[in-house]
Amino acid sequence: MSRKMLVIGEARDGALRNVTFEAIAAATKVSDGGEIVGVLCGSENLEEMGQEMVYYGADRVVTVQNNKLTTYTSDGFGQAVMAVIEEEKPEGIIMGHTAIGKDLTPKLASKLETGLISDAVDIEETGENMVFTRPIYSGKAFEKKIITDGLMFATIRPNNIKALNRDDSRSGSVSAKEVDIADLRTIIQDIIRKTSDGVDLSEANIIVAGGRGVKSAEGFKPLEELADVLGAALGASRGACDAEYCDYSLQIGQTGKVVTPDLYIACGISGAIQHLAGMSNSKVIVAINKDPEANIFNVADYGIVGDLFDVVPKLTEQIKEIKVNS
Amino acid sequence: MNIYVLMKRTFDTEEKIVIEDSRIEEEGAEFIINPYDEYAIEEAIQLRDEHGGEVTVVTIGGEDAEKQLRTALAMGADKSVLINTEDDVEEGDQYTTVKILEAFFADKDADLILAGNVAIDEASGQVGPRLAERMDIPYVTTITNIEIDGETVHIERDVEGDVEKIDSSLPLLVTCQQGLNEPRYPSLPGIMKAKKKPLEELELDDLDLEEDDVEMKTKTIEIYLPPEKEAGRVLEGEVEDQVKELVTLLRDEAKVL
């Protein structure tokens, strides 16, 4: 049964996030040949980003441009997307499970009185059902869910569902829709950028993470240098956050973020069960720890027993070298 | 100020997950207040101490959740409510939960509702925003600071590492992120006092709800454990050589560089 699908796109620093393309791929799967309509909200011209969504598989894109949509607010984006939903009447909606996705989609689902499957890592058709797989207990277990009533509405975890290949010979309309946005009940006064190079933890392909073993805020320096040469995001264990070596926003684990990068480099992290829950589904794990008995070695693909302050700078140098030579 | 906290009883983070008859085995497991809800309870208590009023902690579940409600009361909450669904709801989802909460809040005059930004078990993070939408009040998720200044509420929220400074107004719903505060441990006098504090128990009937009204929109059809990760190789030799070998392995064997 073909379904008309809506994909809510998301930009960061003026470019679409990769998870938007992954959401188009997910929607294509769920659509079973039905139309894929993208939606984009913002205060700038969204034409070019709309085109990009088409290249990645959207059939057409609706943009809502309004100066109340400069930064995301649940009220502003909620009204804009709801107007598009009311007009398009999709049978399903897919969005990335990002800060904005997590904030916006429950509001929409509640308004539409429909179900919502958050944080799907896989979607497959089994018999008559569209089955969504999602981690529970921070990845200690997984559940398969189906939607029994209402829209096929899901958010997808970044880095898990592969985007379709970009094809700039594809064409589709990008049309602007006027939406009146009523007063916003939450007003953003300021945004303080703390993330350095825009490599977001949840979308990062490589993560370099530090634990109590980094010993101080200063101790994160060598990890930052390694992250820099790898184009990686920086993460931390709860121990490092509690000890105030770094900000809580870096925390990975059962409280904190759950991540699934291609490569996870754990430096001076002992590997408490709560931390493992947040990262053990990473594709390749490297552990660097002084203690050969550390639990982290039980989940690591490759381990180096040694002092991170000795090992990490050498690793940085070595990687620099192969990057130069390749 | 009339402050409410939405609380969930969850598995202790230390627990390993065991599946029996395609369900998660709860027998013998330790349960705690969802860690993010602890931040909500702590913040509610601090705001009450500063601005006056009353903190009511609400949970949906079975008799077993009384223990976590008593803990919240021992921390300093004034009242607690258990919406006991044991007999009426066999399975539910976030739609179910919010239907029930919406009915509960229908005759309440809540100024501020606090919840965890996510529960560490199901981790949907939907309940807060869904409820705010039903109640037609604004919400702010993943907050790391909140100050109430007359009519205005100043909030800081964590957005993937960046900080957004937001102004809003009451009534309001917020969901809490770590970094917001350091939840207190219940004191001995607190535990003694908690025994006498009100713990109201409600059922669907009391909220004028029928089982059909709260029927879920999604269904779990399978629960499984991820394949056990096998321990890999610990490299040997001089650090210099280990590092070289690691980089080669990452590039040629794991193909992640």
Side-chain angles (χ1 to χ4, degrees):
Chain A
M1 189 188 73
S2 78
R3 297 184 187 91
K4 179 176 180 177
M5 299 294 296
L6 194 73
V7 173
I8 306 172
E10 187 187 331
R12 191 180 159 101
D13 298 331
L16 284 170
R17 295 181 69 159
N18 199 45
V19 71
T20 295
F21 306 134
E22 295 168 354
I24 296 171
T28 305
K29 222 168 190 179
V30 180
S31 74
D32 199 10
E35 192 184 26
I36 313 278
V37 181
V39 55
L40 284 170
C41 304
S43 58
E44 309 275 310
N45 189 333
L46 300 161
E47 169 86 26
E48 210 170 300
M49 281 193 230
Q51 263 319 316
E52 205 58 30
M53 284 183 81
V54 170
Y55 297 155
Y56 274 95
D59 293 305
R60 60 190 173 84
V61 175
V62 179
T63 63
V64 182
Q65 193 183 346
N66 188 304
N67 56 18
K68 286 186 177 147
L69 301 175
T70 308
T71 43
Y72 168 83
T73 57
S74 54
D75 274 350
F77 276 51
Q79 290 173 54
V81 176
M82 266 316 290
V84 176
I85 292 172
E86 273 159 18
E87 186 173 280
E88 296 289 341
K89 299 186 175 58
E91 291 158 284
I93 306 173
I94 308 278
M95 188 175 184
H97 195 64
T98 58
I100 294 179
K102 288 178 214 176
D103 195 81
L104 177 64
T105 54
K107 178 186 175 77
L108 298 172
S110 198
K111 202 166 188 101
L112 295 161
E113 297 204 50
T114 194
L116 166 62
I117 294 176
S118 310
D119 203 18
V121 293
D122 191 30
I123 300 172
E124 55 183 347
E125 201 174 352
T126 313
E128 285 175 14
N129 286 324
M130 209 39 92
V131 179
F132 299 80
T133 303
R134 63 186 299 274
I136 50 176
Y137 298 87
S138 313
K140 287 179 186 170
F142 285 82
E143 66 175 352
K144 288 183 190 264
K145 286 196 102 164
I146 56 170
I147 291 173
T148 47
D149 184 26
L151 295 179
M152 286 285 156
F153 196 173
T155 58
I156 59 160
R157 177 179 291 197
N159 274 350
N160 282 268
I161 293 164
K162 214 173 162 345
L164 305 171
N165 288 328
R166 185 176 187 274
D167 176 1
D168 59 14
S169 69
R170 283 180 54 92
S171 63
S173 73
V174 179
S175 57
K177 180 176 168 58
E178 289 284 328
V179 179
D180 282 329
I181 309 281
D183 284 343
L184 307 179
R185 296 173 295 180
T186 56
I187 308 294
I188 298 183
Q189 302 291 2
D190 197 8
I191 299 176
I192 302 159
R193 275 300 177 98
K194 284 182 143 183
T195 43
S196 45
D197 303 321
V199 187
D200 178 63
L201 261 185
S202 61
E203 276 189 293
N205 289 319
I206 304 179
I207 293 173
V208 178
R212 280 196 185 274
V214 301
K215 289 187 188 136
S216 66
E218 192 62 20
F220 262 97
K221 269 275 146 55
L223 275 58
E224 277 167 29
E225 283 161 17
L226 176 59
D228 264 357
V229 298
L230 288 167
L234 211 56
S237 72
R238 178 166 194 158
C241 297
D242 281 347
E244 295 180 3
Y245 301 164
C246 63
D247 202 79
Y248 274 110
S249 60
L250 298 189
Q251 186 174 322
I252 292 165
Q254 191 147 9
T255 48
K257 298 200 166 64
V258 177
V259 296
T260 46
D262 292 338
L263 174 59
Y264 190 92
I265 305 179
C267 311
I269 292 177
S270 63
I273 184 168
Q274 295 91 337
H275 186 74
L276 299 189
M279 49 63 77
S280 62
N281 292 309
S282 303
K283 283 175 201 113
V284 176
I285 297 169
V286 171
I288 300 165
N289 202 300
K290 269 203 291 207
D291 175 10
E293 302 298 319
N295 202 28
I296 191 80
F297 288 115
N298 293 326
V299 298
D301 298 277
Y302 307 111
I304 292 183
V305 179
D307 183 354
L308 73 94
F309 295 105
D310 182 23
V311 177
V312 172
K314 289 195 166 90
L315 185 56
T316 308
E317 282 314 307
Q318 193 64 31
I319 287 166
K320 260 189 204 159
E321 212 163 284
I322 66 157
K323 294 248 159 171
V324 171
N325 294 336
S326 63
Chain B
M1 222 175 25
N2 217 350
I3 308 172
Y4 286 85
V5 180
L6 311 181
M7 187 199 82
K8 189 176 187 187
R9 167 185 182 261
T10 58
F11 262 59
D12 193 315
T13 54
E14 296 274 355
E15 292 290 338
K16 283 215 166 86
I17 303 297
V18 178
I19 294 174
E20 282 280 336
D21 296 332
S22 10
R23 275 177 175 266
I24 291 187
E25 178 63 81
E26 297 195 353
E27 196 69 32
E30 287 290 323
F31 284 84
I32 55 170
I33 295 173
N34 175 45
Y36 292 98
D37 302 349
E38 273 191 333
Y39 300 123
I41 295 165
E42 175 63 36
E43 200 62 25
I45 294 167
Q46 289 185 20
L47 288 170
R48 177 209 58 199
D49 290 349
E50 194 181 336
H51 301 280
E54 202 170 64
V55 174
T56 307
V57 179
V58 186
T59 198
I60 299 176
E63 297 278 331
D64 294 339
E66 279 187 20
K67 190 176 167 210
Q68 283 70 36
L69 286 176
R70 288 285 173 211
T71 305
L73 293 170
M75 285 171 75
D78 302 289
K79 299 201 287 193
S80 63
V81 179
L82 167 63
I83 303 173
N84 193 333
T85 53
E86 240 165 358
D87 297 335
D88 299 325
V89 184
E90 199 182 329
E91 270 186 288
D93 64 0
Q94 299 82 15
Y95 177 83
T96 310
T97 303
V98 171
K99 259 301 205 222
I100 295 168
L101 290 173
E102 184 187 358
F104 172 79
F105 280 105
D107 62 351
K108 307 287 182 292
D109 205 7
D111 295 305
L112 181 65
I113 302 174
L114 299 103
N117 90 75
V118 74
I120 58 166
D121 48 11
E122 295 282 324
S124 83
Q126 292 182 25
V127 170
R130 269 184 181 263
L131 177 63
E133 175 61 33
R134 297 319 303 174
M135 294 175 70
D136 197 21
I137 59 172
Y139 64 89
V140 181
T141 55
T142 57
I143 71 159
T144 52
N145 194 37
I146 179 166
E147 275 164 39
I148 298 172
D149 177 9
E151 294 290 294
T152 314
V153 186
H154 303 290
I155 292 172
E156 289 182 6
R157 73 181 285 251
D158 162 49
V159 186
E160 294 173 353
D162 295 332
V163 179
E164 266 180 20
K165 294 189 170 217
I166 292 177
D167 281 356
S168 193
S169 56
L170 301 175
L172 176 72
L173 184 147
V174 294
T175 73
C176 304
Q177 173 71 308
Q178 74 241 81
L180 177 63
N181 55 42
E182 193 72 46
R184 69 193 71 188
Y185 289 102
S187 65
L188 197 56
I191 293 168
M192 298 310 288
K193 266 194 233 160
K195 290 180 180 159
K196 292 190 186 121
K197 287 181 180 173
L199 194 156
E200 185 185 5
E201 194 170 325
L202 300 172
E203 293 194 20
L204 287 195
D205 246 7
D206 304 309
L207 299 171
D208 288 328
L209 287 171
E210 304 283 335
E211 280 165 58
D212 287 353
D213 298 331
V214 300
E215 195 173 336
M216 57 188 184
K217 306 273 187 189
T218 59
K219 187 177 170 60
T220 299
I221 54 169
E222 191 189 337
I223 292 177
Y224 64 96
L225 299 179
E228 193 114 2
K229 185 123 193 173
E230 281 178 33
R233 297 167 50 181
V234 173
L235 307 179
E236 282 169 10
E238 293 296 313
V239 169
E240 205 84 36
D241 298 328
Q242 289 191 42
V243 167
K244 273 194 184 135
E245 189 184 355
L246 175 64
V247 172
T248 310
L249 286 167
L250 290 178
R251 189 181 53 187
D252 301 337
E253 189 179 273
K255 300 191 193 307
V256 287
L257 286 187

